[in-house]
Amino acid sequence: MSEKKFKSLKEFYPFYLSEHSNTTSRILHFIGTGLVCLAFFTGFLFHNWHFFLAIPVLGYGFAWVGHFFFEKNKPATFQYPGYSLASDFILFYDLLTGKQSFVVKK
């Protein structure tokens, strides 16, 4: 992980993208974040707290598999939890809308 100290989400996001350049990792992040959203809304809709308990497992489970087995790097969550969480949702939206690609051109 870089020793640079990020002072804003705007400054952090390009670094976040550089740590998510593997296609499989991006797909896993997308699936995990999508399931987090689904679990949140399902738990809220059906007033069932079990769905809320699944949120960290779904979100971190898919993401950490992507980092440890495909990216081979340490998740930014450990040093920048807030920026990393926000960036997960930004990347999810960017992938959903086509602003970012699942395949990163190197």
Side-chain angles (χ1 to χ4, degrees):
M1 176 103 133
S2 171
E3 293 300 316
K4 179 176 169 57
K5 297 292 181 193
F6 298 101
K7 296 180 178 85
S8 70
L9 180 58
K10 184 177 182 177
E11 188 179 304
F12 175 79
Y13 191 60
F15 168 74
Y16 175 90
L17 290 176
S18 75
E19 295 288 297
H20 297 82
S21 60
N22 178 278
T23 302
T24 304
S25 178
R26 281 190 172 209
I27 292 169
L28 288 169
H29 275 72
F30 186 80
I31 292 168
T33 304
L35 290 173
V36 162
C37 294
L38 184 63
F40 177 82
F41 288 114
T42 303
F44 184 75
L45 183 66
F46 293 105
H47 306 283
N48 186 334
W49 59 271
H50 290 100
F51 289 99
F52 296 108
L53 291 177
I55 287 174
V57 175
L58 293 169
Y60 290 124
F62 281 88
W64 289 359
V65 167
H67 282 288
F68 295 129
F69 295 106
F70 298 97
E71 294 285 356
K72 309 243 192 287
N73 62 20
K74 184 177 171 185
T77 301
F78 297 124
Q79 192 169 5
Y80 294 96
Y83 289 160
S84 181
L85 179 63
S87 294
D88 285 339
F89 287 100
I90 294 169
L91 179 59
F92 180 80
Y93 180 79
D94 286 350
L95 289 167
L96 191 65
T97 61
K99 185 176 180 184
Q100 286 285 326
S101 174
F102 285 97
V103 179
V104 177
K105 310 281 191 278
K106 294 185 182 186

